[in-house]
Each structure stands twice: as C-alpha cells, then as structure tokens.
C-alpha cells in the first residue's frame, strides 16, 4: 500500500461513517464504500495493509476499519499464523496502544483492545506470553492516568472475551480457555479493580482530575461487576433475566469477599458517587451478597458476613442514601429482593437489628408503593422480598432469633398489603387527573403481571385480615357503582354528564384493581395437603362472590341496553384474568363433586361407598359459602359472560382474544370440558355460531378469531358424548357454513368476484379451517370430507382463479387447504377401495394450479409489501402441496397410469412458482424459504423421475438453490437441502448403469455440468470443517452417499485441501483422512451411515485444531 491508496481508503471510510462524498469528487454510496472496505477482511494477505493504515493514517475512521479488519482476519485465519507471528501481532497492537492510545478516539481504542483480547483468547495455550497479558496491563496501570484508564478497559474487555463464547469455536474449547483464565488470572484482575477503587477512595491518584476520576471509577466498578458475574462453572446463566443466580466464586476468593473492607468500600462508593458509578457499586454489592453459601467455612463466618450486609442496608434505609436517583433505587430494590433468596429466614432473624431492618424495609416498601409513578418497574422486587420472607415462616421456630419476629412480620406484611391496595386504588384518580401525563399502571401489562404473581403468597399469610380489607374496599365501591348504573340504565357512560362519567371512570378503575388483586389471590389457592382444610376457601368464596356479582351486574347492564351500557374495557380484561385463575383452581373437580361420593364395586354384589375426600369437601364448601349456586351455576355465569363479550365487544380485539383464550382453556381441560357440555350457554353458542348472533365474526380484524371460535366449538361437539349432550349433530352444526357455500357456489364468476362476496368467502374458509383443526381421527375427518366432496370442493379452485390477487381471500383459502390436507394423527385414512385420497389430491392440485397460473402471469408489484402481496400466498400454496405430497394417503403412480394430469400439473406449477422467486428473496423470508426448500426436498425424495425429466437448465437452477440453502444459518433449511442431495446421490449410486429413462436424464445433466458432485462435496466438507456448529449434523447425512456416487469428487477435494497446507499439516491431514475411511463399507445401510457420521465428527474435531484457511 502507498500513500495514494491510503488516501483512497480514508476517503471510503469517511463516506461509510459520515455519508460525505469522497474527497476526489467520486460519487460513492455508503453500501459501495462498505463493500470495497470489506475486501480488507477477505484474506490474510491484507494484514500488512491494515498495519500500514494503523501506522500512517490520521483518520480515526480508517484506524477503526483497519482494527476491525485485523480482528476479523485473526479470528477467521488463526491457523494460518505461526506462534511467533501471533505474538508479534499482539505485541505490535499493545505497543501501538501504549504509544498512541491516549490520543485515539474511544471507538478506535475499544476496537484495538478487542483485537488484543481476541488474540489472547485464541492463543491462550500456544505460549505463556498470551497468559501474561494481566502482567503487561499492570504496566499501563502504573503509568499515566490515561494509560491507567486504558489498562482497566483492556481488563474489562479481557474478562468479557474469556467469558463469552466466540462463534466458530466449540463450547469445549471455550470452557477449557475460560477455566484456565479463571484459575490463573481472574482473581488478580478482580483485585486490581478493587485496588483502583481503594486508591480513588483514599485520593491516592493525585494526578487525576475530576473527569478522569469519574472514568476510572466507572471502569474499576465495571471490572469488579464483570469478575463477579464471570461464568465460573460453565452454567451459562440466562442473560435475559434480571435475577442474579448464585455466584460460584472459587475458594481462594474467600479472604477478599469475606473481608469487611470489601463490602464497606463498595457501599462507601455507592454513598459518595452519582449514577452510573453508584448503581454499579450497588450491583457489585448484590453480586457479593449472592456468593455461594459453601464459600464460608462455618456458620459463624456466614452470619458475620450477613450481619455486615444487614447493617449496611439498615444504614442506607435510615439515611435514604442515594435513593433519589432512579437507577440507584432500582438496584437497591434488587438487593432487598435478592437478600432472602440467598439466606434463610432462620439466619436473618438471628442477625443483630433484624426487627429494625424489618421495620425499615416495610417503611421503604410502603413509601415506594405510595410513589408508584416512580417505581413501577421496581415494586415487584420488593413484593418478592416479602413473599420470600412469608413463605419461609413455617420453617422457622417462633423462639428462634429476635423475640416476636413472627408477629412483627405479620404486622408489617399487613401494612404492606394495605398500602398496596390503597395506593393502586388511589392511582386511578391520579392518572385521570394527569390527563395523559402519567402512564396508567393498568396498561403496563408486564409490570402488572409481575406484581400480581407475587401477591398470593403475601396476601394469604394474613388472609383473614387481607380479605376483610379487600371486602371493606369492594363493598362501598360496588354499591356506589350499582347506584350510578341504576341512574344510567341503558344509556352509555359516554352520554352521561362529565362529572358522572368521571365518577364512573374512577369507580371502574378501582374495581378493575380489586378484580385483578382478587383474581391473583384466588389463583394462589394451594391444594397441597399442608394448606388444605384451613378454611381459606371460605375467604376465597367471600371475595369471589363479590367479583361474580360485579360480573352479573355488568352483564345485566350490557344485555338490557343491548350493548350500549359497556363498562371500561380494562375492567372486562381484569374480569377475564379473574375467570382464568378461578377456572384453574376451582373447575377441575367437576366429575368428582357432581357424582358425590365415588363407589367401588367389589367382586360380589356389594358396593363400598367412600366418603368425600378432603379436597371434595373444600370444593363443595367453596360453592356453598359463595351462595350463588353450585359449580354448574357459577360455570354457566362465566360462560354467559364469555358469550356476552363475544356478542357485544366485536371491535375490542384484546377482549375478544382473551375471551376466546379463556374458552379454549376451559374446553381443553378434561373436567371443565365435560362441565361445558352441560351448560345451556354452550348449547346456544354451538347452535348459533353465525355473525348475526356474534358480530365479532364479521369484523375483518377478527378473522383469525373465527378460526379459534369454531375450533373450540367443534372440539366440544366431537368430544365423547358431545353431540348427545349439546343436542346437536355435526351435520346440523355445519349447516350455516354449508348453506353459505351453496349460495356462493351458485354465483356466476362476476358475482363471485364482487366485493359483496369477499367477507363471506373469508368467513367460510376461516370457519372451515377452525373445524378442520379439531378433527383428530379418521371418522371425524371423513364426516367433513363427505360434506365437501363432490359438491363444494370445486368452489375452492374457482375462488383461487378469481381472487388470486387479493391476499386476504387467498390466505384464508390456502390456510384452510393446508389444514385440510395435513394428515395429522393419520386422520386422512380412507378405505382401500375408496378413491377419496385421489379426489382430495385432485382438489388440492386444482387450487394450487389455479392460483399458481394466475400469479405467475401477474407482474411482481413494484411498490408495497412484496411478501404480503405475492410471496406469502406462494409460500402457503407450496406448503399445501408439500402436505399433500407428503401425506401418505395417495398412490401417485395411479395418475400416470390413467393419464390424469393432476400430479404433473401441480408439480409443474409449483416448480415454476418456486423458481420464479429470486434466490435472495427466498433466503430473506424464513417462512418462504422453508416452503420452497421443503418442496425441493419432497420432489427429490418421492418424485425423482419427474425431477430428472426437467430441462438441464431448470435442473441446475434447482441444484443452485439447494447449494445456496445448504449454507443457510437456519438448521432446518440446511437439513432439507442436505436431505435433497442425499436422495439424489443415493439414487445415482443405486441406479448408475441401469437402463432407465431417469438415469439417462441424470447422466445428461451431469454431462452438461460435470463438476456438480465435486462442488457439492467441497461445500459439504467446508461447512463441516469451517462452518457454524448448528449445521454439522445436517451436512453429515449426504456425505457418504456423495462419496460413493462419485469417488473422484472426494479425492479431488482431499488433494485440494492437502495443497493448501504446509508439509507438517499435510502429514496430520493425511492421517486424519485415513482414519475417516477406515472400516467404512461401500454400502448405504443405516449402520454404515451411523458409523461414518461418528467418524466425520472425530475427523472434524481432530482437523480443526491445525487446519489453515
């Protein structure tokens, strides 16, 4: 590289990062600049150019590109360098950082640091020099303040690099390096971080200005947190969760972690700094509090450590230190929530000042809850603390530890619950007054559910008192609500005077909170033997009665006003949450309770009547205390509410979806589904499932809910005894759908394509899909098939021909066909003498061909969402044919025998559709690529004769797609392509030399493209040796069949790979190939395949250690 080329690189870098045109006036886009600069990462020969840029360039962007390119080159071409070269590059970059680091921009410095750490990781076992990086960094720490900051950045990056797996390396290699680093260096790095913090605390770094002190603090605290967060034992903790697991620190860390000075140092840093340093210090305290219990040699040491932590927390709570900052506050809540997770209550109660700590924690919790608008995301940590404390009470003797600790906990928990209820009820008016300035906590679904998940344990600790509090809040609100509703009667809330509407909004918001809280508590009822029979069901009944009466009142108003008098949608959603929890806890014993005591027949004619079990007594007591009737009446009330929601809330997508989820869950339970069959409301739903009765079915955005609704009803109808109990046959249930299909079938083409037919068409296809989803056996599938064939199936292809360009109609049709053709649970299983399998495939073929022909003849839309407009339909159409071709219910040889073109037409159109989509578009859309490559795999598996008969240009287009798909990062796609290659190679190996038309066709293809097998072999071996691990199993499958089909391609690849290695590697590689081929037979039997696959795994592991690219 010379100065002119350097100037060109700098110009391209400027364009890439700033969008400015190049200095020589050449118009280059960012994409072009990126493409040109990426060539620096293409080969190890560009390393000198990258060094030249680092040495000579003044452009920070050029330095960044050079550094990133070096990192990529080192990672991908690691085996191409000798040990001495690797050390030279490492020393060069370290020297560069030492000389130029302080003058570089942060992004360049970080990129160079990443390069050093990557070299250190990859070369960890090559030479002791790499393992001495921490000693080298110590020199940085002892130099200027800027060098000290850089040294801490290097250590931070080093811990990250050694803790996080690098792509392309196996987990075994990663853990081996990671464990060695943990044992040799990590503790020293941790001590360096703490030493820097001590120096900052004592002002020992006198030359540092305020800005530098802030940066040093951030880096040292970050390093401390990273060291404590290190994956010590290879458990790969889930980074997506905020909850800290147990820190498995090694035993030699004990003196530092146990040292009172360490915790005091971090707490002092927390108290005397601002975020982000203070919250990092608190995070470090959380991690130290989470160290494994076995780290301490005895209970005495652990109790002393816990005592210091408790004292520190008490002081922070007393002084409210730093808690005015949101980040500090959040981390402190995490610390409180974490404390009980790592220490037992029996240990906490023995610590000095436990009762004071408990009082301060309760005071802090109530203060946080009252200021809910600032702490929504943190409240659940505090609730978790109280939940954990309460849950441990049964396991601690009252006389253990501080006197009266159980009574103190009872009082504080009641105080917390009462504060929570009052604050949440008060939040309704606060949010309304803010007129949109404050976010409603009822609309923050994530935080709301996290809080509700914690409530049952806390509330049931003092359930009697809590139930009294809730009833005391609920009753006056409900009475007031009933009074106002009595005045409003059938008019809507919106039409009421503003002050009344505001009053209603506040009442409904508060009732929403009480409904959620009640639902949460009822859902926490435990049927375990230790908790059952203590009378809690009477309290459940007391609260449930109030919520169910509210539901009845809401229903009555809705019905009497014919849908005008609607409550707040949030209250309806809360009611559904309550129903879900009630269903889960109290709707699973219907059979036992409805039959009274169960009877057991003996060998004689005697019968032993067994007394009701404790569970049955509790169950019956619940409904008796509720006073609304038995479980059937209550279940009918819930289902009636479901019906009213579907009838009167057609445009509220969330309510419709959650209502149907509730109905699905009720229909899915063994007991609750039997209970549903006895209810009048369910009978009404099953016999009136049309949009006239339930307008939500006619709302376009609810189209998918039509499918769910019909799937539930058919599931109930076809369950054992369903038709008899519902007083409805399947034929009668289907009448409205069949009648609509008859009307549509009678229309001529112009009428069928009219706008008036759009919604009925979408509706019946969505309904039919729901029906088909619930058919799980041969008998029920046959019932639907007999209804549709022969009268109504022709309508499908007619619709596909007329509506091909309208995605909403076509997607509905194709999704139904996909479900209808899917042979799940072997339901598509006709008699041997039945032609139905062939008739079903013909109908499928007609739909796919009608849609395919028209789509192929239509130009691709220039604007808009091309996937939605065109590719989605093609994807599902290919999926339909894949289901039919792989369903195993059609003897496809019949079509050629009787000159029936249905199969050939379907394959021809589908192949044209698959190949009409540009390959880059296929790969860009995951669902589309699965359909396309799934189709290609099936035709290679089951229709090889048709595939071989294709023109060579088309066949090679197919093979090109397979070749591309083989290299996909999606394991399912690469697996399908590998299977396709396996089918082809197996066919060639087993039939080569035979006088068959398909063999001659394949020979012609190979004559036109003689390097086909060799290119596939090379790709497969390259993927095995250098590719991502998720593809290895898939690509191993076709290797044996390919080698047997064309041995010369394997020999050519072996020779090519040998030539790319030096003489030492060639000997190792030759030995590895010899081991690979030893004891492998020339057959494709499964035992031989498995043996070869195992050898390939061993071959890959042994060669990756020394192969150079």
């Amino acid at each position: 590289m010379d100065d002119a080329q350097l100037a060109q690189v700098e110009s391209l870098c400027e364009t890439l990062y700033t969008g400015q045109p190049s200095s020589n006036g050449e118009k280059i886009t960012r994409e072009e600049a990126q493409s040109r600069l990426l060539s620096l990462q293409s080969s190890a020969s560009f390393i000198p150019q990258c060094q030249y840029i680092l040495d000579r360039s003044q452009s920070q962007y050029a330095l960044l590109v050079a550094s990133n390119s070096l990192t990529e080159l080192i990672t991908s071409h690691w085996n191409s360098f000798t040990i001495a070269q690797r050390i030279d590059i490492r020393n060069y970059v370290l020297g560069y950082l030492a000389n130029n680091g302080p003058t570089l921009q942060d992004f360049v410095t970080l990129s160079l640091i990443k390069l050093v750490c990557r070299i250190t990781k990859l070369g960890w076992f090559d030479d002791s020099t790499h393992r001495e990086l921490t000693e080298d960094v110590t020199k940085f720490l002892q130099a200027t303040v800027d060098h000290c900051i850089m040294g801490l950045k290097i250590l931070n990056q080093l811990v990250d690099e050694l803790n996080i797996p690098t792509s392309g390396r196996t987990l075994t290699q990663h853990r081996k390096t990671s464990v060695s680093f943990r044992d040799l260096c990590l503790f020293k790095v941790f001590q360096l971080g703490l030493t820097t913090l001590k120096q900052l605390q004592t002002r020992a770094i006198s030359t540092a200005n305020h800005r530098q002190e802030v940066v040093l603090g951030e880096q040292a605290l970050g390093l401390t947190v990273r060291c404590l967060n290190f994956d010590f034992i290879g458990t790969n903790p889930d980074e997506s969760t905020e909850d800290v697991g147990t820190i498995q620190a090694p035993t030699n860390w004990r003196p530092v972690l146990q040292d009172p000075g360490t915790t005091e140092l971090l707490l002092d840093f927390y108290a005397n700094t601002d975020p982000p340093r203070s919250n990092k210090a608190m995070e470090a305290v959380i991690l130290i509090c989470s160290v494994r219990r076995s780290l301490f040699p005895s209970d005495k040491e652990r109790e002393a450590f816990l005592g210091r932590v408790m004292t520190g927390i008490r002081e922070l709570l007393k002084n409210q230190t730093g808690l005015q900052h949101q980040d500090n506050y959040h981390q402190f809540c995490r610390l409180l929530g974490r404390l009980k997770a790592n220490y037992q209550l029996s240990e906490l109660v023995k610590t000095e000042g436990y009762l004071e700590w408990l009082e301060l924690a309760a005071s802090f919790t109530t203060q946080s809850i009252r200021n809910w608008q600032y702490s929504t995301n943190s409240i659940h940590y505090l609730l978790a603390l109280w939940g954990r404390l309460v849950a441990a009470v049964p396991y601690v003797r009252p006389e253990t530890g501080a006197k009266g600790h159980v009574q103190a906990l009872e009082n504080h928990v009641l105080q917390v619950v009462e504060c929570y209820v009052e604050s949440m009820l008060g939040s309704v008016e606060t949010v309304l007054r803010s007129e949109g300035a404050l976010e409603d906590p009822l609309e923050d679904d994530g935080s709301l559910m996290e809080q509700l998940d914690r409530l049952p344990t806390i509330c049931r600790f003092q359930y009697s008192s809590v139930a009294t509090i809730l009833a005391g809040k609920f009753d006056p609100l409900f009475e007031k609500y009933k009074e106002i509703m009595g005045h409003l009667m059938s008019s809507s809330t919106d039409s009421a005077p503003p002050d009344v509407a505001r009053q209603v909004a506040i009442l409904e918001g508060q009732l929403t909170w009480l409904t959620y809280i009640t639902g949460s508590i009822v859902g926490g009822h435990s049927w375990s033997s230790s908790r059952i029979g203590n009378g809690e069901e009477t309290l459940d009944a007391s609260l449930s009665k109030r919520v169910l009466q509210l539901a009845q009142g809401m229903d009555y108003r809705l019905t009497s006003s014919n849908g005008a008098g609607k409550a707040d949608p949030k209250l309806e959603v809360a009611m559904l949450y309550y129903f879900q929890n009630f269903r889960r806890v109290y709707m699973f014993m219907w059979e036992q309770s409805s039959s009274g005591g169960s009877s057991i027949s003996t060998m004689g004619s005697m019968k032993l009547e067994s007394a009701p079990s404790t569970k049955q007594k509790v169950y019956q007591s619940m409904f008796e205390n509720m006073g609304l009737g038995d479980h059937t009446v209550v279940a009918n009330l819930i289902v009636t509410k479901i019906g009213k929601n579907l009838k009167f809330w057609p445009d509220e997508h969330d309510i419709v979806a959650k209502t149907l989820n509730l109905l699905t869950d009720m229909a899915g339970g063994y007991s609750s589904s039997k209970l549903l069959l006895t209810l009048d409301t369910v009978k009404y739903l099953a016999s009136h499932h049309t949009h006239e009765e339930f307008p939500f079915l006619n709302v376009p955005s609810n189209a998918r809910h039509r499918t769910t609704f019909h799937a539930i009803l058919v599931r109930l109808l076809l369950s054992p005894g369903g038709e008899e109990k519902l007083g409805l046959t399947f034929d009668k249930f289907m009448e409205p759908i069949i009648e609509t299909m008859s009307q549509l079938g009678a229309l001529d083409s112009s009428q069928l394509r009219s706008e008036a037919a759009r919604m009925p068409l979408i509706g019946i296809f969505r309904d039919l899909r729901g029906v088909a989803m619930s058919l799980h056996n041969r008998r029920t599938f046959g019932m639907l098939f007999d209804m549709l064939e022969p009268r109504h199936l022709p309508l499908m292809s007619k619709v596909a021909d007329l509506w091909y360009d309208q995605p909403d109609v076509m997607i509905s049709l194709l999704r139904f066909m996909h479900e209808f053709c899917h042979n799940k649970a072997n339901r598509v299983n006709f008699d041997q003498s039945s032609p139905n399998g062939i008739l079903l495939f013909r109908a499928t073929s007609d739909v796919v061909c009608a849609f395919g022909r028209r789509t192929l003849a239509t130009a691709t839309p220039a604007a808009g969402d091309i996937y939605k407009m065109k590719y989605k339909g093609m994807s599902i159409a290919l999926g339909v044919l894949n289901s039919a071709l792989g369903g195993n219910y059609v003897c496809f040889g019949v079509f050629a025998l009787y000159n029936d073109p249905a199969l050939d037409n379907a394959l021809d159109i589908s192949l044209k559709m698959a190949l009409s989509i540009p390959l880059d578009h296929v790969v860009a859309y995951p669902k589309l690529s699965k359909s396309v490559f799934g189709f290609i795999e099936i035709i290679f598996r089951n229709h090889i004769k048709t595939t071989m008969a294709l023109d060579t240009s088309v066949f090679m287009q197919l093979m090109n797609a397979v070749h591309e798909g083989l290299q996909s990062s999606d394991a399912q796609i690469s697996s399908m392509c590998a299977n396709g290659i396996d089918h082809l190679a197996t066919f060639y190996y087993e039939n080569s030399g035979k006088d068959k038309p398909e063999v001659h066709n394949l020979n012609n293809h190979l004559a036109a493209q003689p390097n086909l097998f060799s290119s596939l072999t090379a790709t497969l071996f390259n993927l095995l040796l250098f590719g991502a691990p998720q593809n290895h199993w898939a690509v191993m499958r076709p290797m044996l069949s390919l080698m047997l089909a064309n041995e010369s391609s394997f020999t050519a690849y072996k020779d090519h790979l040998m030539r790319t290695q030096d003489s030492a590697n060639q000997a190792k590689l030759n030995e590895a190939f010899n081991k690979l081929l030893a004891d492998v037979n020339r057959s494709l039997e499964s035992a031989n395949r498995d043996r070869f696959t195992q050898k390939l795994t061993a071959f890959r592991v042994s060669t990756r250690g020394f192969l150079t690219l």
Side-chain angles (χ1 to χ4, degrees), residues 163 225 262 332 345 408 442 576 753 791 814 843 928:
N163 194 33
V225 168
T262 305
F332 187 69
L345 183 58
L442 284 170
L576 290 168
R753 184 59 170 89
R791 190 172 167 202
L814 291 170
L928 177 62

Side-chain angles (χ1 to χ4, degrees), residues 57-286:
S57 179
Q58 297 300 310
S59 164
Q60 299 289 319
Y61 297 128
L63 296 176
L64 176 64
V65 166
S67 175
N68 286 344
S69 299
L70 272 174
T71 306
E72 189 61 38
L73 289 169
I74 293 289
T75 306
S76 53
H77 298 273
W78 180 251
N79 289 335
S80 302
F81 305 100
T82 64
I83 291 173
Q85 286 174 319
R86 296 165 186 171
I87 293 171
D88 286 345
I89 297 172
R90 167 196 179 276
N91 292 339
Y92 166 78
V93 181
L94 269 179
Y96 188 89
L97 280 169
N99 296 326
N100 305 310
T103 63
L104 297 173
Q105 292 273 8
D106 278 352
F107 56 82
V108 180
T109 309
L110 286 173
S111 180
L112 287 164
I113 288 171
K114 186 177 179 182
L115 172 57
V116 171
C117 296
R118 179 64 54 83
I119 294 170
T120 303
K121 177 180 183 173
L122 296 176
W124 189 260
F125 294 109
D126 287 353
D127 189 274
S128 60
T129 309
H130 293 295
R131 299 192 288 277
E132 291 164 3
L133 182 61
T134 44
E135 280 77 13
D136 294 336
V137 171
T138 310
K139 297 170 188 171
F140 279 80
L141 300 178
Q142 293 164 351
T144 66
V145 176
D146 284 333
H147 281 92
C148 184
I149 291 171
M150 195 174 306
L152 289 171
K153 285 181 178 177
I154 293 173
L155 292 176
N156 270 294
Q157 181 61 40
L158 183 64
V159 175
D160 268 352
E161 187 69 45
L162 272 295
N163 194 33
I164 300 167
T166 305
S167 61
R169 282 166 65 85
T170 64
L171 197 57
T172 309
Q173 290 172 313
H174 166 69
R175 283 307 306 162
K176 191 178 173 185
T177 312
S178 184
V179 167
S180 175
F181 172 72
R182 177 198 72 191
D183 296 341
L184 295 174
C185 305
L186 186 60
F187 184 47
K188 185 177 180 184
V189 171
F190 180 56
Q191 288 177 306
L192 286 171
L194 290 176
T195 304
T196 308
L197 289 176
K198 283 175 190 165
Q199 290 174 334
L200 286 170
Q201 187 190 33
T202 57
R203 299 274 178 181
I205 309 176
S206 55
T207 55
N209 58 37
H210 177 69
R211 186 196 64 80
Q212 289 173 325
E213 282 186 354
V214 169
V215 177
L216 279 169
E218 283 178 14
Q219 293 297 327
L221 284 165
L223 184 59
T224 308
V225 168
R226 279 182 171 84
C227 290
L228 289 167
N229 255 330
F230 195 81
D231 188 8
F232 293 101
I233 57 171
T235 49
N236 285 326
D238 181 9
E239 291 180 0
S240 64
T241 176
E242 274 202 74
D243 203 13
V244 183
T246 302
I247 304 301
Q248 302 289 345
T251 309
N252 64 325
W253 289 42
R254 183 193 296 150
V256 173
L257 294 176
Q258 211 174 317
D259 180 6
T262 305
T263 317
E264 285 166 15
L265 171 67
L266 292 168
L267 287 172
D268 181 67
F269 230 86
Y270 166 79
N272 296 312
T273 58
D274 293 327
R277 285 173 295 162
S278 55
N279 59 291
K280 272 289 179 194
M282 183 54 70
E283 192 177 347
V285 173
I286 295 171

Side-chain angles (χ1 to χ4, degrees), residues 378-548:
S378 310
I379 288 176
H380 70 95
Y381 289 117
L382 300 173
L383 295 178
L385 166 68
W386 293 102
R388 285 167 178 156
L389 288 171
V390 161
V393 168
Y395 307 102
V396 180
R397 291 179 179 175
E399 64 272 15
T400 306
K403 189 178 178 184
H405 66 85
V406 176
Q407 291 77 10
L409 184 60
E410 287 173 355
N411 294 335
H412 292 316
V413 165
L414 202 56
Q415 183 187 339
V416 167
V417 172
E418 192 167 5
C419 176
Y420 181 80
V421 173
E422 285 181 357
S423 297
M424 294 305 107
L425 295 183
S427 72
V428 177
E429 196 167 351
T430 310
V431 169
L432 271 175
R433 273 206 309 269
S434 75
E435 296 180 346
L438 281 177
E439 189 179 338
D440 189 347
L442 284 170
E443 291 176 358
D444 185 354
D445 214 37
S447 289
L448 177 64
M449 288 305 138
E450 279 184 322
Q451 291 170 29
L452 294 176
D453 287 346
R454 314 282 187 199
L455 280 183
T457 315
I458 305 169
C459 293
R460 285 182 174 274
F461 183 55
Q462 289 286 286
Y463 195 12
S464 178
S465 305
V466 170
T468 306
I469 292 169
L470 289 173
K473 297 287 182 192
F474 201 105
D475 291 343
L477 290 175
F478 187 36
E479 288 303 319
K480 202 168 184 181
Y481 187 60
K482 280 199 292 189
E483 184 188 331
I484 293 177
M485 291 305 110
H487 293 309
L488 286 178
M489 291 302 287
S490 59
S491 59
S492 71
T493 309
D494 295 339
S495 62
D499 58 325
V500 176
R502 184 182 181 80
Q503 205 175 355
V504 170
I506 292 169
L507 283 171
E508 287 182 341
Q510 292 176 334
L511 287 169
T512 301
W513 271 111
L514 289 171
T515 304
Y516 268 127
I517 293 169
T518 304
S520 166
I521 298 170
V522 169
H525 178 87
S526 171
W527 289 98
S528 66
S529 53
S530 61
R531 296 286 299 275
I532 199 169
N534 58 4
E536 286 191 356
E537 75 280 356
T538 58
L539 300 172
D540 281 350
S542 166
L543 294 175
S544 293
K545 179 180 180 179
R546 290 169 166 82
V547 176
L548 290 168

Side-chain angles (χ1 to χ4, degrees), residues 567-783:
D568 188 329
K570 289 198 283 285
L571 179 54
E572 293 285 2
V573 172
M575 196 61 71
L576 290 168
Y577 172 80
Y578 166 79
F579 287 153
Q580 271 288 19
N581 283 343
F582 181 85
R583 171 202 68 78
R584 197 178 68 251
V585 175
Y586 286 112
M587 283 188 72
F588 71 97
M589 287 185 65
W590 174 71
E591 280 190 301
Q592 297 98 307
S593 56
S594 61
S595 59
S598 57
S599 59
I600 306 167
S601 298
T602 60
M603 288 181 71
S605 58
M606 286 173 57
K607 284 190 176 179
L608 299 176
E609 293 292 331
S610 65
S613 68
T614 310
K615 280 188 179 180
Q616 287 171 329
K617 286 177 183 174
V618 169
Y619 190 82
Q620 287 161 2
S621 167
M622 165 74 183
F623 289 99
E624 284 166 11
N625 281 288
M626 210 185 298
L628 296 174
D630 66 6
H631 53 273
T632 312
V633 176
V634 174
N636 200 52
L637 190 156
I638 294 173
V639 177
T640 302
K641 186 82 193 79
I642 286 173
K644 294 288 190 290
N645 282 0
L646 297 177
K647 191 177 182 72
F648 294 118
W649 290 95
D651 298 313
E652 279 291 335
H653 187 78
D654 198 31
I655 292 177
V656 171
K658 288 183 175 172
T659 301
L660 287 171
N661 283 344
L662 172 61
L663 189 56
T664 303
D665 291 340
M666 290 175 78
Y670 178 74
S671 264
S672 56
S673 64
K674 295 197 167 202
L675 173 54
L676 288 182
L677 292 173
T678 65
L679 304 180
D680 293 337
T681 308
V682 174
K683 292 175 186 173
Y684 184 84
L685 287 173
S687 53
H688 296 82
H689 55 97
T690 58
H691 65 84
E692 288 84 7
E693 286 292 332
F694 297 102
F696 87 94
L697 294 169
N698 227 22
V699 176
S701 61
N702 285 334
R704 66 177 55 193
H705 295 319
R706 289 188 75 135
T707 303
T708 309
F709 184 57
H710 283 80
I712 298 166
L713 295 179
V714 173
R715 180 176 186 162
L716 288 170
L717 184 66
L718 297 179
S719 60
E723 291 183 332
E724 183 187 340
K725 287 175 183 172
L726 291 175
L728 186 71
T729 63
F730 182 65
D731 288 2
K732 187 79 176 165
F733 175 85
M734 291 294 293
E735 268 183 13
I737 299 173
I738 297 298
E739 188 181 336
T740 306
M741 290 186 79
S742 299
Q743 291 168 0
L744 290 165
L747 300 176
D748 61 31
S749 296
S750 59
Q751 291 171 318
L752 189 58
R753 184 59 170 89
S754 68
E755 202 58 37
R758 182 189 293 269
M759 275 312 294
L761 284 170
I762 293 172
I764 57 160
F765 294 140
R766 292 280 183 179
D767 297 350
L768 282 169
R769 183 184 174 209
V771 172
M773 283 167 72
S774 293
L775 307 178
H776 296 292
N777 56 47
R778 176 180 173 178
R779 179 184 69 84
T780 52
F781 183 85
M783 288 160 63

